[in-house]
Amino acid sequence: MERLKKLNIELKKYLEETSVQLTEDLIHLLNGENISYVDHKGKSDIKAFYFEYEYEYLNIVFWGVDRKGNIATNTVSLPTNKVGSIEKNGDWNALIPEKIWNIVSDFQDHYEGDDFDDILDEYDDEKYKLFEQWFFDCWKKASEQTKIKMDAYFSIHDTYFRTDLNTLKMINEDEIAQRYQP
C-alpha cells in the first residue's frame, strides 16, 4: 500500500507541473478560442461547457452545448500538451504518466492479499480526489483571470451526475436540462 500512496504523491507533483498548461487551455476555451463549432454555430450559441475524463487514463475531453443541450462544438482533448507524461518510447498518450499506470497495473495483476479491494479503493479514492481538485483549481484560476462566468460541468465519462464548476456541487443531467428550459 505504501508504494501506491507514493504514486499519488508522484501524480500530484505531475498534475502541479501540468497546471499552467491546463489553465491556459481553459482560458482559451473561456475566451472562445481554439474551439471548432459545428452546424454553423458560434461562440454566442454556447451556453455550457462539459468536461469529462476517462476513469483509467484520466484523459479529459471538452465540448460546448447550446441552450437546448445540443452539442455545438467538436471535442477538444485537454490539456493540449501533456507535459512530461510522454515517455521516451513516444507511444503513451494518456494524462496519467505511464510509469504510474504500469506500477498500478502490475499491482493489480500480481497482488494476492485478502485486502486487495480495500487497498485499491483507497488508492483510487485519493487519486480521483487529487485529480478532481487539480481540475477545479485550474478552472477557478482560468475563470478569475478571464472574468468570464460560464455554466460548466465536470465528470467521469458517461455519468448521470456531474460537478457544477461554479458551485462545486453535484448535479444530475435532469437538473442541468431544467436550467435551459424556456
Side-chain angles (χ1 to χ4, degrees):
M1 179 57 203
E2 197 59 38
R3 187 170 187 192
L4 293 181
K5 286 185 180 193
K6 288 180 182 176
L7 291 179
N8 276 333
I9 293 168
E10 280 186 51
L11 177 63
K12 183 177 181 178
K13 182 180 178 213
Y14 169 72
L15 292 173
E16 288 169 356
E17 293 169 3
T18 310
S19 292
V20 171
Q21 179 64 55
L22 180 62
T23 302
E24 266 184 44
D25 291 337
L26 294 172
I27 287 169
H28 289 299
L29 294 175
L30 283 164
N31 286 324
E33 302 164 355
N34 302 337
I35 298 175
S36 171
Y37 299 94
V38 297
D39 299 328
H40 307 291
K41 296 195 175 170
K43 182 178 175 181
S44 63
D45 295 306
I46 304 300
K47 298 304 175 205
F49 286 170
Y50 280 78
F51 301 92
E52 284 188 354
Y53 65 94
E54 293 176 352
Y55 184 77
E56 298 285 335
Y57 298 105
L58 303 181
N59 291 334
I60 304 168
V61 294
F62 152 85
W63 70 92
V65 298
D66 63 17
R67 75 169 34 116
K68 294 180 182 177
N70 296 322
I71 293 176
T73 71
N74 287 310
T75 59
V76 175
S77 294
L78 298 173
T80 54
N81 291 312
K82 294 177 178 112
V83 180
S85 74
I86 306 299
E87 302 295 330
K88 290 181 179 159
N89 66 16
D91 293 335
W92 190 254
N93 195 27
L95 181 59
I96 192 167
E98 184 176 17
K99 175 184 171 187
I100 293 174
W101 169 262
N102 286 336
I103 292 170
V104 173
S105 181
D106 187 58
F107 171 82
Q108 290 173 322
D109 290 345
H110 298 102
Y111 189 81
E112 295 181 9
D114 291 336
D115 56 352
F116 172 82
D117 288 334
D118 293 336
I119 290 172
L120 200 56
D121 286 348
E122 187 178 328
Y123 163 76
D124 281 340
D125 288 348
E126 184 178 348
K127 175 178 71 177
Y128 294 116
K129 187 185 292 185
L130 288 169
F131 176 73
E132 291 174 357
Q133 189 60 55
W134 165 75
F135 188 89
F136 299 155
D137 291 346
C138 291
W139 175 259
K140 183 178 176 182
K141 286 178 193 170
S143 297
E144 288 171 354
Q145 287 182 31
T146 62
K147 308 262 189 272
I148 295 173
K149 182 150 171 96
M150 169 68 72
D151 286 352
Y153 309 99
F154 181 77
S155 67
I156 196 163
H157 179 66
D158 285 340
T159 186
Y160 179 68
F161 292 96
R162 301 179 183 279
T163 300
D164 180 325
L165 290 172
N166 293 308
T167 64
L168 297 183
K169 298 202 183 312
M170 290 297 282
I171 185 169
N172 66 48
E173 287 291 331
D174 293 330
E175 293 168 320
I176 293 170
Q178 287 175 347
R179 290 181 172 184
Y180 305 109
Q181 295 295 320

